[in-house]
Amino acid sequence: MSGDYLLKRDGVWHFSRRVPFNVADLDRRGIVRQSTRIRVVEDPRGAKARRIADQINADLEAFWLGLLNGRAEEAQKVYDAARKRARGFGFDYMTADAVAARPVSEILARLQTIKGQPQEREELAASALGGGVPVPRLMLSGLFNEFERLSASDIRDLSPDQVRKWRNPKVRAVANLIDVIGDQPISSITRPQALDFREWWQARVADEDLDPDTANKDFGHLNTMFKTVERALRIGLGPVFSEMRIRGANNGQRVAFAPAFVQDRFLADGALDGLNDDARCVLYLIVETGLRLSEACNLTEETIRLSGPAPHVVVKPDGRRMKTDQSAREIPLVGVSLMAAQASPAGFPRYRDKAASLSAIVNKVLRGRGLLPEAGQTLYSLRHTFEDRLTKVEAPEKVTAALMGHKFHRPRYGLGPSLEQKREWLQRIAFKPPSKV
């Protein structure tokens, strides 16, 4: 705790921490001291000073982690180069102990290859074929960086916000594990330590009344990262984080709004005046289209098509990955959604690739105005309401799937429902719009 690093010096609270042993050769200060600039007489219990010390400590640990990661990256580069050279000579790279255990004929062949190199390359050949480069130790603190490097091709089509959502839970899972078992080489992490981590999460779930799925996500991310690193580096990791799931997870189902509630409360004149114009238009757009929030936020002048007999929006990748192959679709605009698109024909650049920010803003306003009356209801519930309304008028399953961006569980023939056919069903469920958006 940062409070342990506070001391009084000349009447002022100071942060003081010894440089950890594992980074002492990279940071030679011995002890790091920094004033919080908070006088003891004004903060006798150190409450204010502790908050400042927390930030100093967090910055310091981030600095140390950067030093360690830099050293680890350099060691990995040297190791990878040795492996590449060994393959170039026709051999697999092995540590010195492993080479010594090979048949005599292979050892002699390696030695002959080394001796056959020009003098200036002999040392490099010896390190590659004789196992002179140690296998780098991948620390738990470097696990995500290595996983991200190995996953570069898998995430190349994600937008910046999608990368953030992909990255953050994995970084958080690693940080949680380090809190429980400490930073150590991942090759030394054992199944009992993983089970200790599971027990830590079980206690949190019980004490803090958390959804078990919060813990299960950590287990899943760690399992994926460990498997990926093992496939690439072959360092002997077993199934450390498999079969860790805690039962009783909430299925996360959001509760739909009653259509009458949407008509009477959401679409009442002035009901959403607390939202800025873009946020209000996005919400209205979702009402009659069932768009996912991220899909609505990323519409542009090119994908909002208001001319022609059937105004509609086009959902397509456009610099980001679609949730499913079926997500690409065209949705006619009717009622309040048509009004919203006409009011914002160029889309919503304020919230482009920022669906999470918009969700937080809208849900806060809706909650404050009593527009989320049931537990589990959020802005996303409008999408569930949209599907319920199609079901109530008995829209064909193929039409509903085409509008929702869901998979239609039958072989696909032809082009699917036309814009005119989809608009016909949307007009059957359209609400009475407010007088203005």
Side-chain angles (χ1 to χ4, degrees), residues 326-360:
Q326 296 77 33
S327 295
R329 62 200 190 279
E330 295 181 342
I331 307 176
L333 294 168
V334 301
V336 68
S337 293
L338 177 58
M339 293 172 62
Q342 290 169 334
S344 302
F348 316 96
R350 179 174 182 172
Y351 294 114
R352 184 167 177 79
D353 208 29
K354 296 179 181 177
S357 298
L358 178 56
S359 177

Short mmCIF file of all heavy atoms in Angstrom, two decimals, residues 326-360:
data_model
loop_
_atom_site.label_atom_id
_atom_site.label_comp_id
_atom_site.label_asym_id
_atom_site.label_seq_id
_atom_site.Cartn_x
_atom_site.Cartn_y
_atom_site.Cartn_z
N GLN A 326 -23.48 -11.70 -40.51
CA GLN A 326 -24.84 -11.30 -40.85
C GLN A 326 -25.13 -9.84 -40.48
O GLN A 326 -26.19 -9.30 -40.83
CB GLN A 326 -25.86 -12.20 -40.14
CG GLN A 326 -25.82 -13.66 -40.55
CD GLN A 326 -24.65 -14.41 -39.93
OE1 GLN A 326 -24.25 -14.11 -38.82
NE2 GLN A 326 -24.11 -15.38 -40.65
N SER A 327 -24.20 -9.21 -39.77
CA SER A 327 -24.45 -7.84 -39.31
C SER A 327 -24.52 -6.84 -40.46
O SER A 327 -25.18 -5.80 -40.35
CB SER A 327 -23.37 -7.41 -38.32
OG SER A 327 -23.43 -8.18 -37.14
N ALA A 328 -23.84 -7.12 -41.57
CA ALA A 328 -23.91 -6.24 -42.73
C ALA A 328 -25.31 -6.31 -43.33
O ALA A 328 -25.77 -7.39 -43.71
CB ALA A 328 -22.86 -6.65 -43.76
N ARG A 329 -25.99 -5.18 -43.41
CA ARG A 329 -27.39 -5.21 -43.86
C ARG A 329 -27.87 -3.79 -44.20
O ARG A 329 -27.18 -2.81 -43.89
CB ARG A 329 -28.30 -5.81 -42.77
CG ARG A 329 -28.32 -5.04 -41.46
CD ARG A 329 -28.82 -5.93 -40.32
NE ARG A 329 -29.08 -5.20 -39.09
CZ ARG A 329 -28.15 -4.84 -38.21
NH1 ARG A 329 -26.89 -5.10 -38.46
NH2 ARG A 329 -28.50 -4.20 -37.11
N GLU A 330 -29.04 -3.73 -44.82
CA GLU A 330 -29.69 -2.46 -45.12
C GLU A 330 -31.01 -2.42 -44.36
O GLU A 330 -31.78 -3.39 -44.37
CB GLU A 330 -29.95 -2.33 -46.62
CG GLU A 330 -28.66 -2.28 -47.45
CD GLU A 330 -28.96 -2.12 -48.93
OE1 GLU A 330 -30.11 -2.39 -49.34
OE2 GLU A 330 -28.05 -1.73 -49.68
N ILE A 331 -31.28 -1.28 -43.69
CA ILE A 331 -32.49 -1.16 -42.88
C ILE A 331 -33.25 0.09 -43.31
O ILE A 331 -32.71 1.21 -43.28
CB ILE A 331 -32.15 -1.05 -41.38
CG1 ILE A 331 -31.25 -2.21 -40.95
CG2 ILE A 331 -33.42 -1.03 -40.54
CD1 ILE A 331 -30.80 -2.12 -39.51
N PRO A 332 -34.51 -0.06 -43.73
CA PRO A 332 -35.33 1.10 -44.12
C PRO A 332 -35.55 2.03 -42.94
O PRO A 332 -35.52 1.62 -41.77
CB PRO A 332 -36.65 0.47 -44.59
CG PRO A 332 -36.30 -0.95 -44.91
CD PRO A 332 -35.23 -1.33 -43.93
N LEU A 333 -35.78 3.29 -43.23
CA LEU A 333 -36.05 4.29 -42.21
C LEU A 333 -37.51 4.69 -42.23
O LEU A 333 -38.04 5.07 -43.30
CB LEU A 333 -35.16 5.52 -42.45
CG LEU A 333 -33.65 5.29 -42.28
CD1 LEU A 333 -32.87 6.48 -42.82
CD2 LEU A 333 -33.30 5.05 -40.82
N VAL A 334 -38.15 4.61 -41.08
CA VAL A 334 -39.55 5.03 -40.96
C VAL A 334 -39.69 5.82 -39.67
O VAL A 334 -38.84 5.77 -38.78
CB VAL A 334 -40.52 3.82 -40.94
CG1 VAL A 334 -40.38 2.99 -42.20
CG2 VAL A 334 -40.28 2.96 -39.70
N GLY A 335 -40.79 6.56 -39.55
CA GLY A 335 -41.14 7.23 -38.30
C GLY A 335 -40.05 8.10 -37.73
O GLY A 335 -39.37 8.86 -38.42
N VAL A 336 -39.83 7.98 -36.41
CA VAL A 336 -38.88 8.84 -35.71
C VAL A 336 -37.45 8.58 -36.16
O VAL A 336 -36.60 9.48 -36.12
CB VAL A 336 -39.02 8.66 -34.18
CG1 VAL A 336 -38.56 7.27 -33.74
CG2 VAL A 336 -38.24 9.72 -33.44
N SER A 337 -37.15 7.36 -36.63
CA SER A 337 -35.79 7.08 -37.10
C SER A 337 -35.50 7.81 -38.40
O SER A 337 -34.38 8.27 -38.64
CB SER A 337 -35.60 5.56 -37.28
OG SER A 337 -35.63 4.91 -36.03
N LEU A 338 -36.50 7.92 -39.26
CA LEU A 338 -36.34 8.70 -40.49
C LEU A 338 -36.13 10.18 -40.15
O LEU A 338 -35.26 10.84 -40.73
CB LEU A 338 -37.57 8.53 -41.38
CG LEU A 338 -37.58 9.36 -42.67
CD1 LEU A 338 -36.36 9.04 -43.54
CD2 LEU A 338 -38.88 9.11 -43.46
N MET A 339 -36.88 10.68 -39.17
CA MET A 339 -36.71 12.07 -38.75
C MET A 339 -35.30 12.31 -38.21
O MET A 339 -34.67 13.33 -38.50
CB MET A 339 -37.76 12.41 -37.68
CG MET A 339 -39.19 12.43 -38.19
SD MET A 339 -40.40 12.62 -36.84
CE MET A 339 -39.96 14.23 -36.19
N ALA A 340 -34.78 11.35 -37.42
CA ALA A 340 -33.45 11.50 -36.84
C ALA A 340 -32.37 11.50 -37.92
O ALA A 340 -31.42 12.29 -37.87
CB ALA A 340 -33.20 10.37 -35.84
N ALA A 341 -32.53 10.62 -38.91
CA ALA A 341 -31.55 10.57 -40.00
C ALA A 341 -31.59 11.84 -40.84
O ALA A 341 -30.56 12.35 -41.28
CB ALA A 341 -31.81 9.35 -40.88
N GLN A 342 -32.79 12.38 -41.06
CA GLN A 342 -32.91 13.62 -41.82
C GLN A 342 -32.29 14.80 -41.06
O GLN A 342 -31.76 15.73 -41.66
CB GLN A 342 -34.38 13.90 -42.11
CG GLN A 342 -34.98 12.93 -43.13
CD GLN A 342 -36.50 13.04 -43.23
OE1 GLN A 342 -37.17 13.45 -42.26
NE2 GLN A 342 -37.04 12.69 -44.39
N ALA A 343 -32.34 14.73 -39.73
CA ALA A 343 -31.74 15.79 -38.91
C ALA A 343 -30.22 15.67 -38.85
O ALA A 343 -29.53 16.67 -38.59
CB ALA A 343 -32.32 15.75 -37.50
N SER A 344 -29.69 14.46 -39.09
CA SER A 344 -28.23 14.24 -39.02
C SER A 344 -27.79 13.43 -40.24
O SER A 344 -27.32 12.30 -40.11
CB SER A 344 -27.86 13.50 -37.73
OG SER A 344 -28.29 14.20 -36.60
N PRO A 345 -27.92 14.00 -41.44
CA PRO A 345 -27.62 13.22 -42.66
C PRO A 345 -26.15 12.83 -42.82
O PRO A 345 -25.84 11.93 -43.59
CB PRO A 345 -28.05 14.17 -43.79
CG PRO A 345 -27.94 15.55 -43.19
CD PRO A 345 -28.33 15.38 -41.75
N ALA A 346 -25.25 13.46 -42.08
CA ALA A 346 -23.82 13.12 -42.16
C ALA A 346 -23.39 12.18 -41.05
O ALA A 346 -22.21 11.89 -40.90
CB ALA A 346 -22.97 14.39 -42.12
N GLY A 347 -24.35 11.71 -40.26
CA GLY A 347 -24.00 10.80 -39.17
C GLY A 347 -23.70 11.54 -37.89
O GLY A 347 -24.15 12.68 -37.69
N PHE A 348 -22.91 10.92 -37.04
CA PHE A 348 -22.69 11.44 -35.69
C PHE A 348 -21.19 11.43 -35.36
O PHE A 348 -20.73 10.62 -34.54
CB PHE A 348 -23.47 10.59 -34.68
CG PHE A 348 -24.87 10.28 -35.16
CD1 PHE A 348 -25.15 9.08 -35.80
CD2 PHE A 348 -25.89 11.21 -35.02
CE1 PHE A 348 -26.43 8.81 -36.27
CE2 PHE A 348 -27.18 10.95 -35.48
CZ PHE A 348 -27.45 9.75 -36.12
N PRO A 349 -20.40 12.29 -36.01
CA PRO A 349 -18.94 12.27 -35.82
C PRO A 349 -18.52 12.45 -34.37
O PRO A 349 -17.47 11.98 -33.96
CB PRO A 349 -18.45 13.42 -36.70
CG PRO A 349 -19.66 14.27 -36.97
CD PRO A 349 -20.83 13.34 -36.96
N ARG A 350 -19.34 13.09 -33.58
CA ARG A 350 -19.02 13.29 -32.16
C ARG A 350 -18.86 11.95 -31.44
O ARG A 350 -18.08 11.84 -30.49
CB ARG A 350 -20.13 14.12 -31.50
CG ARG A 350 -19.95 14.39 -30.02
CD ARG A 350 -21.03 15.34 -29.55
NE ARG A 350 -20.90 15.70 -28.15
CZ ARG A 350 -21.63 16.62 -27.54
NH1 ARG A 350 -22.54 17.30 -28.24
NH2 ARG A 350 -21.47 16.88 -26.27
N TYR A 351 -19.59 10.94 -31.88
CA TYR A 351 -19.57 9.64 -31.21
C TYR A 351 -19.05 8.52 -32.10
O TYR A 351 -19.21 7.35 -31.77
CB TYR A 351 -20.98 9.30 -30.71
CG TYR A 351 -21.45 10.23 -29.62
CD1 TYR A 351 -22.54 11.09 -29.83
CD2 TYR A 351 -20.80 10.28 -28.40
CE1 TYR A 351 -22.97 11.95 -28.84
CE2 TYR A 351 -21.23 11.15 -27.40
CZ TYR A 351 -22.31 11.98 -27.62
OH TYR A 351 -22.72 12.84 -26.63
N ARG A 352 -18.43 8.86 -33.21
CA ARG A 352 -17.89 7.82 -34.07
C ARG A 352 -16.83 7.02 -33.33
O ARG A 352 -15.89 7.55 -32.77
CB ARG A 352 -17.30 8.43 -35.34
CG ARG A 352 -16.80 7.37 -36.33
CD ARG A 352 -16.51 7.97 -37.69
NE ARG A 352 -15.99 6.99 -38.61
CZ ARG A 352 -16.73 6.09 -39.27
NH1 ARG A 352 -18.04 6.07 -39.08
NH2 ARG A 352 -16.18 5.22 -40.09
N ASP A 353 -17.02 5.72 -33.31
CA ASP A 353 -16.12 4.79 -32.61
C ASP A 353 -16.06 5.08 -31.11
O ASP A 353 -15.07 4.78 -30.45
CB ASP A 353 -14.71 4.83 -33.22
CG ASP A 353 -13.97 3.50 -33.04
OD1 ASP A 353 -14.64 2.45 -32.99
OD2 ASP A 353 -12.74 3.51 -32.94
N LYS A 354 -17.13 5.69 -30.58
CA LYS A 354 -17.19 6.00 -29.14
C LYS A 354 -18.54 5.58 -28.55
O LYS A 354 -19.15 6.31 -27.77
CB LYS A 354 -16.96 7.50 -28.92
CG LYS A 354 -15.58 7.99 -29.34
CD LYS A 354 -15.43 9.47 -29.12
CE LYS A 354 -14.06 9.96 -29.56
NZ LYS A 354 -13.91 11.44 -29.41
N ALA A 355 -18.98 4.39 -28.93
CA ALA A 355 -20.29 3.91 -28.48
C ALA A 355 -20.34 3.79 -26.96
O ALA A 355 -21.38 4.05 -26.34
CB ALA A 355 -20.62 2.57 -29.13
N ALA A 356 -19.24 3.37 -26.34
CA ALA A 356 -19.23 3.19 -24.89
C ALA A 356 -19.46 4.52 -24.17
O ALA A 356 -20.20 4.59 -23.18
CB ALA A 356 -17.91 2.57 -24.44
N SER A 357 -18.84 5.59 -24.68
CA SER A 357 -19.03 6.91 -24.07
C SER A 357 -20.48 7.36 -24.20
O SER A 357 -21.07 7.89 -23.25
CB SER A 357 -18.11 7.93 -24.73
OG SER A 357 -16.75 7.59 -24.54
N LEU A 358 -21.04 7.16 -25.39
CA LEU A 358 -22.44 7.55 -25.60
C LEU A 358 -23.37 6.74 -24.71
O LEU A 358 -24.33 7.28 -24.13
CB LEU A 358 -22.82 7.36 -27.07
CG LEU A 358 -24.28 7.70 -27.42
CD1 LEU A 358 -24.62 9.13 -27.01
CD2 LEU A 358 -24.54 7.50 -28.89
N SER A 359 -23.12 5.45 -24.58
CA SER A 359 -23.96 4.59 -23.75
C SER A 359 -23.98 5.10 -22.31
O SER A 359 -25.04 5.18 -21.68
CB SER A 359 -23.44 3.15 -23.78
OG SER A 359 -24.20 2.32 -22.93
N ALA A 360 -22.81 5.46 -21.78
CA ALA A 360 -22.74 5.95 -20.40
C ALA A 360 -23.54 7.24 -20.23
O ALA A 360 -24.27 7.41 -19.24
CB ALA A 360 -21.29 6.17 -20.01
#
